[in-house]
């Protein structure tokens, strides 16, 4: 604060002297811009609200972040200075005319709130940061970065109107507008919302690489628009902008999802800045024209039909003859307010070649892509006009090699492509639908179809990969791999329950079970923040109000806000969600008698194994699968976790009285839980099924003097009653490894995970799974083979086997406490956190354990090195400070850098 006030006073005195004096004053206070930094710290990875160089930032006080690199160990930031300017030139001269934070003593490098002047809409801001190390030495300035603000109010749209085809029944219409620019373009942005879906085109080409835009939302509350940088797509002279609209959300779209019910319509603003500094705006208005296009049908479940004979070449280019086109109609705006889309774009992230193609009968081919994906096929073919090619997808095959489409349920999952007959190869891929599939059936292909004629396009929210895991067990590695695919395939513009059948709606219960894994595997910050805005705590899915207070179905929105703070230090998400978290938890405490959740309201440990006659040794049947399990116990345990999360949020946000209240409430739920469910012997809970002890052990509900007894009985149940197999649904599976590790039985957990017979992950692998199934059964009354709800166990691969956990939100303080199973020889895991890379790897060779840990600059850790035998000793780096010694482990405090610890037998 003193630095900022000093700079302000100097500027006030010298203001009349102009820019040169201002630059001199800045140099006097902040240091010469050309001075050589003494610090070894290097600043990189600048983000604004978790995104690099973002467009459409809608926060009034964005959160800034950066990462630090250092060549030496124990590097810490002691202070920072942020400059924000309205131009790159000012920033280059160290003029923070919007905000100069001054030198602020803080080690915070994540979630630093912008503190300057009020931000203007549709404006680019340039910023950089430098830091001081623990010895007070300054770093060099970071590379310049920037962000752009969103449209804040209706008037920011410059009079743009919602438009649509004059025929409300027109399918997938094309909208166009020609315009001319008489100056050179310096920069241009397009702001677009097209419902149900849109594709923006300029001068004959698609703009950007987003697909299935805009993001799905509760349209009566929010409609998201996308921001595009179109600078390079424009030119001096004639230009044409086009909008291709799709519907997607047909009449059969799930009543539990956010469905756009209105007509195809769009609003757009093109904001052009010329090299002379002047601006021009082009908006959607009555002067636009429309026509039908080649897409004759589009539906998320049923697929898309494309007739290339109806293409209008050049429709999105200047000079096109549009005299036969009709004028657009002005249409009513949606009920929901227009808001900037800040989540990761949905994109085509990969393209897969088929591993095999089989001709089942003349003209019918089945492609195997080797991996269950979300997305669509891209096909190339050459043939006569009117040739109709059908593409149908499925997850599995029947014994005769034909598609087994049972898991599609009522989704037709079929695309059709009618050739124009150009005499050249024609290529098609859908725009306004997607499917979940591994296998593709192609019929009607002209000639002989080969491997090179079809590709699979992988589609999901383009969240960055932040996790990596490997071990000496190929089964564990494949479980990890399959679970990652399941999370990605179910991360579109909202989380989905499955990409396969006719649902694909937000699965609040599923996310609660796998969010901890997702936030370690991928950068899910802005993705889940958007989801929380769609479904705040206590908000029901459409047509599902009765479940809005269930701890298992809706309570995950309460606990989701805390991982966003813990993993990404997103205080804004916590502040936004907190009032609803508080209402949700308090309401349940008031309305649930004795704090014990009733057995007839909820789902419990959803989808444990079916052990009935219909299970058929795991292969199941169309009538198998009873998914409700332990509803009262599970929901009461989850309500405890939700009260704890709300207490922690209250503490962070400074609501001390609330924090005490929710801590007390959590304590009362714990007492009630044990009074109701703990048996007289004090060694098991409720029915004794695995989950009844797993959740109390993992959540800390078991009285301290009963932990060993409960752990012993759980182990007996697993081995003697369940034959070493898991017997858990989505919540029991999520916390299985955690609970067994707490009671010293990590090897039993490994045995359960690697079982190759029903039920378990190994059984899925033995039956060709490349993603995780909805039930442990191959076939059931409700089944797809691409659900993420069992993927939560991946979290334990990082937190238990590798032992990586943040002990301070944002990974400023870290614990590395690996659990070492006898049955594994090696584990390696790494996470790219908001402060940098955290890694833990261990390997056993000839009686020696070697543990290597990497901690990012500006973080510190306590490493708990396990002793594998009483006679073993630890060889540690000299800079590692020993803090605790027990019979089981030796703990060390370390700073940033890479540290290797060796455990071996003591030489006498």
């Amino acid at each position: 604060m003193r630095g900022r006030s000093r700079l302000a006073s100097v500027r006030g005195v010298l203001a009349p002297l102009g820019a040169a004096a201002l630059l001199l004053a800045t140099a006097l206070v902040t240091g010469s811009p050309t001075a050589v930094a003494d610090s070894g710290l290097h600043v990189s990875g600048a983000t604004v609200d978790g995104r690099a160089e973002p467009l459409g930032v809608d926060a009034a006080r964005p959160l800034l972040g950066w990462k630090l690199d250092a060549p030496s160990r124990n590097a810490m930031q002691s202070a920072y200075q942020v400059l924000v300017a309205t131009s790159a030139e000012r920033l280059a001269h160290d003029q923070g005319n919007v905000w100069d934070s001054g030198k602020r003593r803080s080690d915070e490098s994540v979630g630093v709130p912008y503190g300057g002047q009020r931000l203007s809409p549709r404006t680019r801001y340039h910023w950089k940061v430098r830091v001081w190390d623990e010895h007070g030495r300054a770093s060099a300035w970071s590379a310049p970065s920037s962000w752009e603000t969103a449209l804040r109010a209706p008037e920011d749209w410059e009079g743009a109107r919602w438009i649509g085809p004059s025929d409300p029944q027109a399918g997938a219409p094309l909208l166009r507008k020609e315009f001319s620019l008489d100056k050179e373009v310096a920069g241009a942005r397009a702001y677009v919302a097209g419902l149900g879906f849109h594709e923006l085109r300029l001068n004959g080409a698609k703009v950007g690489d987003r697909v299935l835009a805009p993001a799905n939302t509760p349209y009566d509350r929010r409609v998201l628009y996308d921001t595009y940088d179109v600078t390079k797509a424009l030119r001096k002279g004639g230009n044409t902008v086009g909008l291709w609209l799709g519907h997607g959300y047909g009449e059969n779209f799930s009543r539990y999802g956010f469905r756009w019910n209105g007509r195809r319509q769009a609003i757009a603003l093109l904001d052009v800045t010329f090299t002379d500094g002047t601006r021009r705006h082009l908006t959607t208005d009555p002067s636009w024209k429309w026509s039908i296009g080649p897409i004759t049908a589009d539906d998320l479940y049923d697929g898309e039909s494309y007739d290339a004979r109806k293409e209008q070449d050049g429709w999105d280019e200047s000079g096109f003859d549009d005299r036969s086109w009709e004028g657009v109609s002005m249409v009513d705006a949606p009920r929901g307010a227009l808001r900037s889309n800040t989540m990761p774009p949905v994109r085509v992230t990969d393209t897969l070649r088929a591993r095999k193609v089989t001709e089942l009968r003349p003209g019918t081919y089945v492609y195997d892509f080797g991996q269950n994906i979300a997305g669509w096929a891209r096909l190339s073919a050459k043939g006569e006009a009117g040739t109709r090619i059908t593409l149908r997808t499925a997850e599995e095959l029947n014994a005769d090699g034909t598609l087994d489409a049972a898991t599609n349920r009522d989704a037709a999952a079929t695309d059709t492509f009618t050739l124009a007959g150009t005499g050249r190869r024609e290529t098609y891929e859908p725009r306004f639908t997607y499917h979940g599939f591994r296998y593709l059936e192609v019929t009607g292909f002209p000639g002989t179809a080969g491997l090179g004629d079809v590709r699979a396009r992988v589609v999901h929210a383009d969240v960055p990969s932040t996790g990596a895991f490997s071990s000496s067990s190929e089964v564990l590695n494949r479980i990890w791999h399959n679970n990652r695919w399941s999370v990605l395939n179910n991360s579109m513009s909202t989380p989905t329950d499955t990409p396969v059948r006719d649902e694909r709606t937000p699965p609040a219960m599923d996310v609660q079970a796998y969010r901890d894994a997702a936030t370690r595997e991928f950068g899910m910050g802005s993705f889940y923040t958007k989801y929380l805005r769609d479904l705040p705590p206590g908000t029901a899915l459409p047509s599902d109000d009765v479940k809005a207070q269930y701890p298992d179905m809706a309570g995950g929105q309460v606990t989701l806000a805390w991982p966003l703070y813990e993993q990404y230090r997103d205080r804004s998400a916590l502040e936004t969600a907190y009032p609803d978290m508080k209402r949700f938890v308090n309401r349940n405490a008031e309305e649930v008698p004795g704090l014990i959740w009733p057995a007839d309201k909820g789902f419990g440990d959803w989808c444990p194994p079916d052990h009935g006659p219909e299970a058929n040794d795991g292969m199941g049947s169309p009538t198998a699968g009873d998914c409700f399990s332990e509803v009262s116990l599970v929901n009461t345990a989850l309500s405890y976790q939700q009260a704890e999360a709300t207490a922690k949020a209250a503490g962070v946000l400074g609501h001390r009285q609330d924090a005490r209240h929710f801590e007390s409430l959590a304590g009362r739920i714990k007492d009630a839980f044990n009074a109701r469910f703990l048996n007289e012997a004090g060694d098991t809970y409720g029915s004794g099924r695995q989950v009844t002890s797993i959740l109390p052990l993992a959540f800390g509900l078991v009285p301290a003097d009963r932990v060993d007894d409960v752990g012993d009985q759980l182990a007996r149940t697993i081995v003697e009653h369940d034959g070493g197999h898991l017997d858990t649904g989505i919540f029991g599976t999520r916390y299985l490894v955690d609970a067994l590790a707490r009671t010293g039985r990590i090897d039993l957990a490994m045995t359960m995970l690697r079982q190759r017979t029903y039920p378990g992950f190994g059984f899925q692998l033995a039956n060709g799974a490349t993603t995780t199934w909805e039930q442990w059964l191959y076939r059931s009354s409700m089944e797809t083979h691409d659900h993420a709800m069992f993927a939560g166990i991946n979290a334990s691969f990082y937190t238990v086997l590798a032992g990586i956990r943040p002990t301070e939100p944002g990974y400023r303080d870290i614990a590395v406490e690996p659990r070492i199973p006898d049955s594994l020889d090696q584990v390696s895991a790494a996470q790219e956190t908001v402060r940098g890379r955290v890694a833990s790897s261990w390997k056993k060779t000839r009686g020696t354990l070697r543990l290597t840990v990497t901690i990012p600059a500006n973080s510190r850790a306590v490493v708990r090195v396990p002793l594998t035998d009483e006679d073993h000793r630890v060889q540690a780096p000299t800079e590692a400070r020993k803090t605790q010694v027990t019979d089981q482990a030796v703990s060390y405090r370390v700073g940033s850098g890479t540290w290797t610890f060796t455990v071996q037998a003591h030489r006498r």
Side-chain angles (χ1 to χ4, degrees):
M1 294 298 292
R2 288 194 300 269
R4 182 172 61 175
S5 61
R6 179 185 172 197
L7 179 59
S9 63
V10 172
R11 283 179 172 166
V13 171
L14 297 179
L17 300 181
L22 180 58
L23 177 59
L24 175 60
T26 304
L28 289 173
V29 177
T30 64
S32 168
T34 59
V36 177
D38 295 323
S39 169
L41 291 175
H42 174 71
V43 187
S44 63
T47 60
V48 178
D49 286 344
R51 298 185 290 155
E53 303 273 351
L55 305 179
V57 172
D58 61 354
R61 296 181 67 210
L63 300 179
L64 311 181
W66 54 89
K67 293 180 180 179
L68 300 174
D69 299 308
S72 58
R73 287 174 172 168
N74 302 314
M76 289 292 294
Q77 171 188 302
S78 63
Y80 68 82
Q81 181 182 11
V82 173
L83 297 181
V84 182
T86 51
S87 71
E89 293 75 20
R90 283 181 178 271
L91 190 70
H93 289 90
D94 296 344
Q95 298 176 21
N97 65 309
V98 179
W99 185 40
D100 182 344
S101 70
K103 182 179 179 181
R104 295 199 172 184
R105 298 193 179 280
S106 170
D107 66 359
E108 195 54 81
S109 57
V110 179
V112 175
Y114 165 77
Q117 301 173 11
R118 177 181 173 84
L119 299 173
S120 300
R122 265 180 18 229
T123 302
R124 187 177 188 183
Y125 291 93
H126 304 262
W127 75 287
K128 62 182 179 181
V129 59
R130 65 172 175 174
V131 303
W132 283 259
D133 67 12
E134 67 275 18
H135 302 294
R137 299 173 299 190
S139 74
W141 288 103
S142 65
S145 188
S146 68
W147 80 86
E148 290 188 18
T149 50
L151 309 180
R152 185 169 295 153
E155 55 267 27
D156 295 335
W157 282 87
E158 302 291 345
R161 302 277 300 277
W162 282 93
I163 62 172
S166 54
D167 178 3
Q169 303 305 315
L174 311 175
L175 284 65
R176 73 185 304 270
K177 168 73 175 179
E178 289 197 28
F179 61 99
S180 182
L181 301 176
D182 59 0
K183 303 176 185 179
E184 296 293 338
V185 175
R189 301 291 181 264
Y191 307 89
V192 182
L195 299 172
F197 294 117
H198 73 253
E199 179 176 294
L200 175 65
R201 302 186 68 84
L202 269 170
N203 295 328
K206 177 182 174 180
V207 174
D209 55 5
R210 296 172 186 257
V211 297
L212 298 175
N216 182 241
T217 55
Y219 299 102
D220 59 336
R221 289 188 280 121
R222 294 198 310 147
V223 173
L224 298 185
Y225 66 86
D226 290 297
T227 304
Y228 300 89
D229 182 348
V230 295
T231 305
K232 294 181 179 179
L234 295 178
R235 59 199 175 212
K236 185 178 179 181
N239 293 266
T240 298
V241 58
L243 282 170
W244 199 336
L245 301 183
H247 195 255
Y249 304 99
E251 291 301 318
N252 65 337
F253 191 74
S254 172
R255 64 192 180 98
Y256 300 122
F258 306 133
R259 177 164 70 92
W260 171 243
N261 291 312
R263 59 192 294 177
R264 294 160 181 83
Q265 60 188 79
I267 188 170
L269 164 66
L270 186 62
D271 184 5
V272 183
T273 301
F274 298 109
T275 53
D276 63 3
T278 60
R279 296 172 84 165
R280 182 183 169 189
H281 305 121
L282 179 85
T283 64
T284 43
D285 62 23
S287 66
W288 284 58
K289 298 179 112 179
W290 78 276
S291 177
I292 60 171
I295 295 178
T296 58
D298 65 289
D299 183 275
L300 283 175
Y301 298 156
D302 293 339
E304 182 180 288
S305 296
Y306 188 98
D307 189 342
R309 295 171 300 179
K310 297 183 178 182
E311 290 178 344
Q312 301 193 51
D313 291 341
W315 73 272
D316 50 2
E317 296 183 83
S318 297
F320 175 77
D321 184 359
D322 63 4
R323 286 175 294 179
S324 64
W325 286 40
E326 300 179 44
V328 298
S329 294
M330 300 297 100
V331 299
D332 293 335
R335 287 175 55 192
L338 278 168
R339 293 289 183 266
S340 177
N341 181 18
T342 57
M343 69 162 279
V346 177
R347 290 187 171 112
V348 175
T349 61
D350 201 359
T351 300
L352 305 182
R353 290 179 58 91
R355 295 185 178 181
K356 181 181 179 183
V357 59
T358 303
E359 186 174 14
L360 295 180
R361 53 187 177 274
T364 299
Y365 302 86
V366 171
Y367 287 80
D368 176 5
F369 293 99
Q371 175 63 54
N372 216 9
I373 68 165
W376 52 71
R378 183 176 66 189
L379 176 141
S380 294
K382 178 181 178 181
E384 295 182 1
T387 301
R388 189 170 185 265
I389 306 171
T390 301
L391 301 92
R392 191 166 66 102
T393 63
E395 294 184 289
E396 302 290 350
L397 296 180
N398 295 309
D400 62 359
T402 60
L403 293 192
D404 177 0
T407 59
N408 290 356
R409 203 161 64 179
D410 292 331
T414 301
D415 304 315
T416 62
F417 177 38
T418 302
L419 296 180
T422 62
R424 303 181 302 276
R425 290 187 70 84
E426 302 175 48
T427 300
Y428 164 73
E429 60 182 292
R431 282 175 169 82
F432 303 133
T433 190
Y434 77 97
H435 315 292
F437 68 102
R438 172 177 172 173
Y439 301 98
L440 174 74
E441 177 192 83
V442 178
T443 57
F445 190 90
T448 302
L451 283 172
D453 295 315
V454 181
R455 296 284 188 270
R457 304 278 270 169
V458 179
V459 177
H460 54 74
D462 194 10
V463 292
S465 176
T466 54
F469 173 84
S470 67
S471 75
S472 54
S473 167
E474 184 56 30
V475 172
L476 281 188
N477 297 342
R478 290 180 63 193
I479 292 171
W480 171 79
H481 179 270
N482 283 10
N483 287 341
R484 277 174 59 94
W485 269 103
S486 296
V487 171
L488 286 176
N489 291 345
N490 285 287
S491 298
M492 301 303 282
S493 59
T494 69
T496 61
D497 51 358
T498 173
V500 181
R501 65 171 177 245
D502 51 335
E503 287 188 34
R504 309 182 206 177
T505 55
M509 185 166 60
D510 297 14
V511 173
Q512 185 172 191
Y514 72 77
R515 60 159 189 252
D516 296 327
T519 53
R520 284 163 173 81
E521 298 287 7
F522 306 104
M524 304 294 287
S526 59
F527 180 88
Y528 279 147
T529 297
K530 181 264 183 187
Y531 175 53
L532 266 178
R533 290 173 181 163
D534 290 340
L535 271 181
T539 304
L541 288 169
S543 307
D544 213 18
D545 285 350
V546 69
K547 299 165 189 166
Q549 287 294 131
Y550 287 7
D552 51 17
M553 176 59 78
Q557 305 305 93
V558 174
T559 44
L560 177 58
W562 180 255
L564 292 180
Y565 184 67
E566 180 181 62
Q567 293 294 315
Y568 309 115
R569 205 167 178 81
D570 187 347
R571 184 184 176 95
S572 296
L574 204 61
E575 289 174 335
T576 300
Y578 178 73
D580 291 318
M581 296 168 64
K582 179 178 175 179
R583 274 192 293 271
F584 182 96
V585 173
N586 277 335
R587 179 177 171 182
N588 279 352
E590 293 166 2
E591 296 183 357
V592 176
L595 302 176
I596 301 297
W597 197 262
D600 61 347
K601 292 183 178 179
F603 299 81
D605 193 28
W606 186 241
C607 289
D610 183 344
H611 296 295
E614 296 292 326
N616 191 24
D617 292 327
M619 297 312 294
S621 71
T623 59
D626 180 9
C627 275
F628 294 88
S629 174
E630 306 291 345
V631 173
S632 178
L633 183 146
V634 169
N635 270 329
T636 304
L638 291 174
S639 72
Y640 169 79
Q641 190 185 54
Q642 289 151 22
E644 274 201 318
T646 308
K648 290 188 288 189
V652 166
L653 299 175
H655 306 306
R656 295 181 181 177
Q657 186 173 346
D658 282 0
R660 289 191 294 269
H661 163 71
F662 290 112
E663 287 167 0
S664 173
L665 174 59
R668 289 188 287 121
I669 295 174
K670 178 176 181 177
D671 292 342
F673 182 90
N674 284 297
R676 171 63 65 88
F677 298 111
L678 186 61
N679 68 358
E680 289 187 13
D683 63 2
T684 196
Y685 287 84
S687 70
R689 197 166 189 173
Q690 289 179 23
V691 70
T692 65
S693 292
I694 287 172
L695 293 192
L697 285 168
F699 290 2
L701 283 163
V702 182
D705 62 343
R706 295 295 183 183
V707 169
D708 290 341
D709 294 335
V710 172
D712 290 343
Q713 182 55 44
L714 173 61
R716 284 193 292 271
T717 297
I718 293 169
V719 174
E720 297 172 9
H721 184 270
D722 298 321
H725 288 76
L726 54 78
D727 186 40
T728 49
I730 61 175
F731 295 113
T733 303
R734 157 63 187 97
Y735 295 104
L736 172 69
V737 175
D738 299 30
L740 289 174
R742 187 180 179 200
T743 58
R745 292 175 172 83
I746 187 67
D747 269 292
L748 180 56
M750 297 300 101
T751 297
M752 297 170 76
L753 292 183
R754 291 185 294 194
Q755 292 282 9
R756 303 288 289 188
T757 53
Y758 176 79
F761 290 104
F763 176 75
Q764 294 182 4
L765 295 174
N767 283 276
T770 62
T771 46
T772 309
W773 301 350
E774 183 174 13
Q775 298 197 44
W776 298 113
L777 297 166
Y778 183 87
R779 180 65 53 83
S780 74
S781 59
M782 181 183 64
E783 182 71 62
T784 77
H785 289 168
D786 197 351
H787 258 63
M789 63 189 196
F790 282 110
I793 201 165
N794 271 26
S796 301
F797 294 176
Y798 294 91
T799 62
V800 177
L801 293 179
I804 300 170
R805 292 184 298 106
T807 52
E808 173 74 16
Y811 289 85
R812 181 174 66 179
D813 291 290
I814 304 164
V816 181
E817 303 176 359
R819 302 299 177 95
I820 315 292
D822 290 339
S823 56
L824 288 182
D825 295 324
Q826 176 267 327
V827 161
S828 294
Q831 279 182 253
E832 186 60 40
T833 74
V834 288
R835 287 191 176 225
R837 184 173 181 267
V838 180
S840 169
S841 65
W842 53 262
K843 187 174 183 179
K844 293 183 292 188
T845 53
R846 300 175 184 172
T848 297
L849 171 70
R850 186 179 299 273
L851 170 64
T852 301
V853 174
T854 298
I855 305 300
N858 207 31
S859 291
R860 53 210 172 202
V862 172
V863 180
R864 185 177 183 271
V865 184
L867 299 176
T868 52
D869 189 278
E870 289 183 359
D871 193 40
H872 282 187
R873 298 291 183 269
V874 178
Q875 181 181 341
T878 56
E879 294 174 87
R881 184 160 59 89
K882 188 183 297 184
T883 60
Q884 186 180 33
V885 179
T886 69
D887 292 340
Q888 291 79 38
V890 181
S891 297
Y892 297 87
R893 184 174 297 279
V894 300
S896 64
T898 296
W899 309 79
T900 297
F901 304 86
T902 303
V903 183
Q904 54 192 358
H906 181 57
R907 296 178 181 177
R908 299 183 182 277

